[in-house]
Amino acid sequence: MTDKKIKTAKKISMTKFEFKNGVYEGEAVENVPNGKGKMTWEDGKFYEGNFLNGSFHGYGKFVVKDLGCFEGIWVNHSFVKGKACYHFACSGCEMDAIYEGRFKEFFLVGYGKITRANGEIYEGRAGCSQKNKRNF
């Protein structure tokens, strides 16, 4: 007989608890968000979707008042792919638009599609850096 340690699965429970500036409701393991849940902050923003060890991870939707929403795939708290209803500021103008494509830390990267509120569509490479705040 071998002397192997057997890990026991941690129990997932439905819970509701307060954290700094907000509330979490959903599945948790030892009071850490794991599984499906909703995190709501006092300022009105919220994330609803999958969590892994307390981070947004998997499919979810993050809504930020006066900025927009990000819905798609999250990896370790970073939005990597999906759709965004976003209030853009680009090249000195402002516009409301929906962006579908890839993101890296909330910035547009690579190929994507932007549909503006007035119906105009842009498809192609998009890029934005923290330095210049430009999207196209």
Side-chain angles (χ1 to χ4, degrees):
M1 184 174 212
T2 61
D3 193 24
K4 292 183 180 180
K5 291 184 179 180
I6 299 173
K7 290 185 177 182
T8 56
K10 294 183 180 181
K11 186 177 178 182
I12 295 176
S13 61
M14 292 299 290
T15 189
K16 179 178 181 176
F17 60 85
E18 292 185 12
F19 62 91
K20 184 178 178 182
N21 302 322
V23 174
Y24 173 78
E25 293 181 75
E27 298 174 336
V29 174
E30 297 178 357
N31 281 334
V32 175
N34 272 288
K36 294 181 191 268
K38 183 175 184 179
M39 192 172 276
T40 306
W41 286 261
E42 291 173 353
D43 63 5
K45 67 185 172 199
F46 69 89
Y47 172 82
E48 186 169 14
N50 293 309
F51 290 83
L52 180 64
N53 299 324
S55 292
F56 306 171
H57 196 88
Y59 190 84
K61 182 176 184 176
F62 184 51
V63 178
V64 181
K65 183 180 176 186
D66 299 326
L67 177 61
C69 63
F70 301 85
E71 183 173 2
I73 304 299
W74 298 78
V75 175
N76 197 27
H77 227 71
S78 290
F79 187 60
V80 295
K81 186 175 183 182
K83 296 181 182 181
C85 304
Y86 195 74
H87 186 74
F88 289 97
C90 69
S91 304
C93 67
E94 291 188 12
M95 65 178 173
D96 288 318
I98 295 174
Y99 173 76
E100 298 177 66
R102 295 194 61 80
F103 288 82
K104 183 172 183 177
E105 297 173 1
F106 291 97
F107 292 99
L108 317 179
V109 294
Y111 185 85
K113 177 181 175 182
I114 293 173
T115 306
R116 296 181 179 175
N118 67 4
E120 292 179 6
I121 295 174
Y122 169 84
E123 285 190 74
R125 295 197 61 77
C128 182
S129 70
Q130 282 186 312
K131 184 177 177 181
N132 66 18
K133 300 291 187 194
R134 291 184 59 185
N135 292 301
F136 311 103

